[in-house]
Amino acid sequence: MNGLGYGRGLRALALAVCLPALALTTAPPGAAVPADTAAVHRSAPAAARTTPSWTGPLSTRGRYVVDANGERFKLKAANWAGAQGTWQGSGDTDDPANNQAGQVSHNIPLGLDRVPMAQLLADFHGLGLNSIRLPFADAMIHDTTPVPDSAVTANPQLRGRTPLQVYDAVVEALSADGFAVILNNHTTGYRFCCGLDGNERWNSGQSTQQWEDDWVFMVNRYRANKRVVGADLRNEVRRDTWDDPNWGLGDAHDEYAAFEEAGNRILGADPDMLVIMEGINWYGIPAAVFSHGRPMLTPVRTLSHTLIDSGKLVYSAHFYAYTGPANTGAGSGPGATSDPRYEDFTPEQLAQVVDDEALFVTRAGQHFTAPVWISEFGAGGRGSTDAKEQSWLHTFTDLLAKNDTDFAIWPLVGWADANGRPLDTWALLSYDPTGKRLGLNDPGDWRATDWNKLVDAPSLTGPVAPVNHWNMLDLDHGDQNVSRRMLALPDWSGGNRKGDCPDGQRLTGLGRGDSRGLCTDAGEPAAGAGAWVTVTDERYVTGGDWASGYNKLQCPDNTFAVGYAVHSDAMSALLCAPAATRLPTAGRDVWFDHGDNRPAAGGSAASDWAPGHYKGQCGDDEYVAGVAYTWRWLHYGVPDALLCRPLA
């Protein structure tokens, strides 16, 4: 879960909080959702809800998640917590007093001691859910101790199984009953939650290699089940005692690089998986004299991910009322700040901050365009007297509904005591020791109106048209090889940093002096069957000297650039792929040695994929045939011009 824990009575101090996140939109805050390529549909009333038929796997088209038939699949999800652990870090792990909200999960999804699986799933359907975010700890993968019989009293078929084997059974039951399952690496160890708990980063308490290996293990374990649709890489990355996570510095704390590498390893194991990435949940020391805040997805504006399979990336974010863009959520003491909380904003301010921190990602035609999934949000329900939190949830669910945002509420299942009182008032469904349910839609829970408004909101359904992609390449600290073809071949430019576009895309732009590049599949020419060519000199320059006095790397006629290599930031090579049909050889020079030279409109025109550097970019209907550079005039061999030729 989030930051310092949830519920005001549970908010402990911590230096590195982690909670909130975001919603998603295709338009500026407050704008209506366009009817676009799919029909507007209003969900059925709560009493009639069932999980609709759909076909896996899932992928993405622009801001939307779609199923195997290209139909919109909106993630209407909840977090079934427990397998990430509920122990709070001290004392006997089996003592309810030492576990979150007095609930001892025994490191499996909550509720299996009280309710048969079939009844749990029926209750999930009744809430209008079609998907489940299923947290787990890395420790679960390696835990060989069977869960106690008491942990599965209502599901005796699970006796004698390890936590992982119970997780297997839950995944199988959910997917067989029609739910999409998103695996979520929530924690390293079984400790709950948050701040300085040993789970701050993907490599807290373990190496990055081990974390990636665990992910490959999990993906391979469920590969045959196409309703296991996503890998949510890590929950709420945040500062530990001494170090901040970062986005793009190339060190051991670089979330951008770690997520890119893990995502591509996952897709190497199973090309059908969605790869889901949160931003940075917290950096800095929360005190007025220190820089601190919750960047979330803001770094994606200028440094987004490019995976080996386009149409598989989903970004995610978390939002809770009692945190804020620079507020940890701590109530008092160390870790508490006077920065505004999300519940302090007016509806207009909240819409703007949500857009700034995440919703911008859904804007069409940019290098960062992707769905945004609000994979955690929530509030204390039955018995709550927190008027500001109630007002916030009303406003926030309005925002999600208006923007047709994919979502997952926290948490789904909790315990109730023998008198039927929920131990965790945030849970949507609470079960007493006899299995009797007290649910969100039973009388007395103020959240029901907001939840049903959200689940039943008009949304885009039906076929979603395929989209063009623009993806950036980042060679700041090393190679970015995202072509499956080239990854299977020997190094095509030894000793140099290389970037090659995902298969099916071509190079369309370069930055001057920062080694950034831009790829696209807009109007992509059909690939020919011939070999790809590495160009390191001017032997293929034909049709006249298009950049007199400059060194030139030019692809052979009827080929187009799909990659480039640099030494330091100087041009070293172009990688060129053959086209199946003849390409025009007339073209134009695009010089960018004295300023940006990018199309006024078209792909990624409104986003900066090489911040602080001049950029050259061909039009969406052109291909890069060559690059000019020089070592004179202190230009240091960085690209100065592109040769752009029309596709037809």
Side-chain angles (χ1 to χ4, degrees):
M1 189 197 147
N2 46 340
L4 296 176
Y6 53 89
R8 294 200 184 270
L10 298 176
R11 294 169 193 172
L13 67 87
L15 287 179
V17 183
C18 344
L19 327 194
L22 248 282
L24 130 185
T25 181
T26 42
V33 177
D36 235 13
T37 55
V40 174
H41 170 74
R42 182 173 292 279
S43 301
R49 289 175 186 148
T50 59
T51 300
S53 175
W54 62 282
T55 304
L58 302 183
S59 57
T60 71
R61 291 183 176 178
R63 62 150 286 183
Y64 297 109
V65 176
V66 298
D67 71 5
N69 298 316
E71 304 271 337
R72 168 80 185 287
F73 187 92
K74 183 175 181 176
L75 296 173
K76 298 182 180 183
N79 287 265
W80 191 0
Q84 83 287 349
T86 53
W87 179 61
Q88 292 184 306
S90 64
D92 183 357
T93 58
D94 294 333
D95 184 346
N98 300 325
N99 284 260
Q100 184 267 326
Q103 304 171 136
V104 184
S105 73
H106 294 291
N107 312 317
I108 62 175
L110 280 162
L112 298 175
D113 61 324
R114 301 177 172 218
V115 191
M117 190 97 71
Q119 184 58 54
L120 285 167
L121 303 191
D123 291 346
F124 298 173
H125 285 299
L127 290 170
L129 302 173
N130 64 11
S131 44
I132 300 294
R133 184 179 187 239
L134 200 60
F136 70 89
D138 289 281
M140 181 196 74
I141 297 170
H142 308 283
D143 189 346
T144 59
T145 303
V147 302
D149 289 352
S150 62
V152 291
T153 301
N155 292 274
Q157 74 278 15
L158 302 179
R159 288 177 181 168
R161 300 196 189 187
T162 67
L164 177 58
Q165 290 168 339
V166 173
Y167 193 91
D168 290 340
V170 168
V171 168
E172 177 59 31
L174 285 167
S175 58
D177 211 41
F179 292 100
V181 179
I182 296 97
L183 313 176
N184 163 237
N185 178 226
H186 210 78
T187 52
T188 303
Y190 285 135
R191 182 175 172 181
F192 185 102
C193 164
C194 306
L196 303 178
D197 60 1
N199 298 307
E200 296 88 355
R201 293 193 309 273
W202 62 95
N203 55 0
S204 294
Q206 62 187 352
S207 67
T208 297
Q209 180 71 42
Q210 182 62 60
W211 172 68
E212 292 179 2
D213 289 348
D214 284 350
W215 259 122
V216 172
F217 171 86
M218 291 292 279
V219 168
N220 281 328
R221 192 171 185 87
Y222 305 116
R223 179 172 178 170
N225 187 341
K226 295 310 172 188
R227 285 185 169 169
V228 179
V229 298
D232 186 349
L233 296 185
R234 186 70 178 189
N235 191 68
E236 294 176 354
V237 173
R238 55 196 184 273
R239 180 187 175 90
D240 61 18
T241 304
W242 302 110
D243 297 298
D244 286 321
N246 68 75
W247 196 270
L249 295 185
D251 60 15
H253 302 153
D254 184 350
E255 180 183 337
Y256 167 83
F259 279 22
E260 173 100 4
E261 183 173 283
N264 283 326
R265 285 196 64 189
I266 286 167
L267 290 172
D270 184 359
D272 289 333
M273 291 293 280
L274 293 176
V275 175
I276 301 167
M277 303 183 183
E278 290 182 41
I280 296 173
N281 194 266
W282 187 264
Y283 83 96
I285 299 173
V289 295
F290 298 103
S291 177
H292 60 274
R294 180 169 281 106
M296 304 252 263
L297 297 177
T298 54
V300 174
R301 290 183 187 275
T302 54
L303 185 55
S304 60
H305 289 87
T306 299
L307 298 174
I308 56 177
D309 293 306
S310 295
K312 290 296 178 180
L313 175 62
V314 175
Y315 284 114
S316 69
H318 296 176
F319 258 145
Y320 292 93
Y322 63 89
T323 63
N327 193 305
T328 65
S332 61
T337 73
S338 59
D339 301 289
R341 305 175 191 270
Y342 292 109
E343 66 186 14
D344 296 328
F345 294 127
T346 66
E348 294 75 19
Q349 290 170 332
L350 183 62
Q352 186 61 60
V353 75
V354 165
D355 186 74
D356 290 343
E357 292 183 332
L359 300 188
F360 72 89
V361 172
T362 64
R363 293 192 179 116
Q366 309 308 316
H367 67 81
F368 49 68
T369 302
V372 172
W373 181 36
I374 307 311
S375 55
E376 284 189 26
F377 73 102
R382 200 176 300 273
S384 170
T385 58
D386 189 337
K388 291 188 73 172
E389 187 169 70
Q390 292 183 18
S391 178
W392 172 85
L393 186 68
H394 177 73
T395 300
F396 189 66
T397 51
D398 277 349
L399 184 61
L400 299 186
K402 188 171 188 175
N403 289 288
D404 197 6
T405 300
D406 301 69
F407 58 85
I409 196 167
W410 180 283
L412 177 54
V413 176
W415 287 1
D417 64 18
N419 296 313
R421 291 186 294 260
L423 301 185
D424 181 355
T425 63
W426 288 54
L428 272 61
L429 301 168
S430 299
Y431 298 92
D432 74 8
T434 69
K436 183 178 179 181
R437 185 198 73 206
L438 185 64
L440 176 77
N441 285 315
D442 294 321
D445 195 320
W446 65 269
R447 299 172 299 172
T449 299
D450 290 327
W451 174 255
N452 292 318
K453 167 193 64 184
L454 179 58
V455 171
D456 297 335
S459 62
L460 216 60
T461 63
V464 177
V467 299
N468 295 324
H469 299 90
W470 284 268
N471 293 117
M472 62 179 296
L473 295 175
D474 166 34
L475 276 60
D476 290 357
H477 304 290
D479 292 351
Q480 192 172 22
N481 290 321
V482 286
S483 161
R484 285 181 179 271
R485 175 191 177 108
M486 298 310 296
L487 285 169
L489 296 174
D491 189 338
W492 62 269
S493 185
N496 300 313
R497 304 198 312 280
K498 294 162 289 297
D500 43 56
C501 297
D503 294 339
Q505 296 189 28
R506 67 185 183 280
L507 190 66
T508 193
L510 286 174
R512 188 174 187 274
D514 69 343
S515 305
R516 296 281 180 92
L518 186 68
C519 303
T520 189
D521 56 9
E524 181 75 3
W532 291 15
V533 179
T534 300
V535 176
T536 59
D537 55 34
E538 298 189 3
R539 72 184 67 188
Y540 299 111
V541 175
T542 58
D545 187 349
W546 56 274
S548 179
Y550 285 75
N551 303 85
K552 289 167 285 291
L553 300 173
Q554 185 170 327
C555 292
D557 288 351
N558 210 45
T559 69
F560 51 94
V562 292
Y564 62 104
V566 297
H567 193 84
S568 186
D569 288 322
M571 290 298 302
S572 296
L574 276 184
L575 181 65
C576 305
T581 57
R582 181 153 295 280
L583 294 173
T585 55
R588 66 185 180 101
D589 299 353
V590 173
W591 290 91
F592 55 104
D593 54 336
H594 290 92
D596 274 6
N597 193 349
R598 298 192 289 159
S604 213
S607 58
D608 193 344
W609 45 270
H613 294 266
Y614 296 148
K615 292 163 283 293
Q617 182 177 334
C618 296
D620 296 351
D621 58 352
E622 296 177 316
Y623 68 97
V624 172
V627 179
Y629 62 97
T630 185
W631 291 90
R632 297 184 297 171
W633 313 306
L634 300 179
H635 283 207
Y636 301 110
V638 300
D640 286 321
L642 301 177
L643 176 59
C644 298
R645 290 175 169 174
L647 290 168

